[in-house]
Amino acid sequence: EVTLTCTTAAFPKAVATAVQSQLAKVGITVKIDTLESATFNANTINGPFQFAVDGYGAWTTGMDSSYRGCFYSTQNRCGITSEKVDELIDTALAEKDPAKRAELYKELQEYLMQDAAWYTIAIEGLVAAYKKDLQGWTLPNGTTHVYRYLYIEQ
């Protein structure tokens, strides 16, 4: 039996349940340990855990904050220290060309998946709807909406 830790939020619980079901099909019993966010964060940063469902979204405004917060050697939940990971994160942050930056993040994600420190298994969809006469709307960079520049022409 293994324990899968997640928060009480709907999406992580749904992913944990799916993982539990899939692993049961190959004979692995998974106990799901759902924790309130502050306890989850404390336990996955400082305490022992077998594996966890984690995610980033609402406050993340770009790839750097996601990858740096999860994998950079001086601050990560995975317990990894990797000069290659740090270099890819730093290089991607400094890259001004969006296409080149995307390639660096792709390389980083593939490297992390090989290392099995973190594996992306689900991406929560973002749905946005607005009136056709709303001006100033742009899709968010991440899941944080910026309402500062919105207006309706009269």
Side-chain angles (χ1 to χ4, degrees), residues 124-142:
E124 187 174 11
L126 172 65
V127 176
Y130 54 92
K131 292 176 70 168
K132 65 181 178 182
D133 55 347
L134 182 68
Q135 303 295 312
W137 171 259
T138 58
L139 287 174
N141 182 16

Side-chain angles (χ1 to χ4, degrees), residues 6-114:
C6 70
T7 66
T8 57
F11 191 72
K13 282 176 28 181
V15 171
T17 301
V19 169
Q20 179 185 49
S21 173
Q22 291 170 355
L23 290 177
K25 291 177 183 177
V26 294
I28 300 172
T29 302
V30 176
K31 175 184 171 249
I32 298 174
D33 185 19
T34 55
L35 303 172
E36 176 273 327
S37 292
T39 304
F40 174 86
N41 291 335
N43 286 4
T44 56
I45 292 170
N46 303 314
F49 65 98
Q50 289 183 299
F51 72 122
V53 172
D54 197 4
Y56 276 76
W59 57 269
T60 301
T61 57
M63 296 304 294
D64 182 72
S65 61
S66 294
Y67 282 119
R68 191 172 298 276
C70 293
F71 307 113
Y72 206 76
S73 292
T74 58
Q75 58 188 42
N76 70 70
R77 295 173 187 224
C78 299
I80 61 170
T81 301
S82 169
E83 288 180 17
K84 179 176 176 77
V85 169
D86 293 351
E87 180 184 338
L88 283 167
I89 290 171
D90 289 338
T91 303
L93 176 63
E95 179 56 59
K96 294 184 182 346
D97 182 319
K100 289 179 183 175
R101 188 177 326 115
E103 283 300 315
L104 288 164
Y105 284 129
K106 180 181 178 187
E107 180 182 347
L108 174 60
Q109 185 173 21
E110 289 171 352
Y111 179 80
L112 290 167
M113 288 168 41
Q114 288 173 358

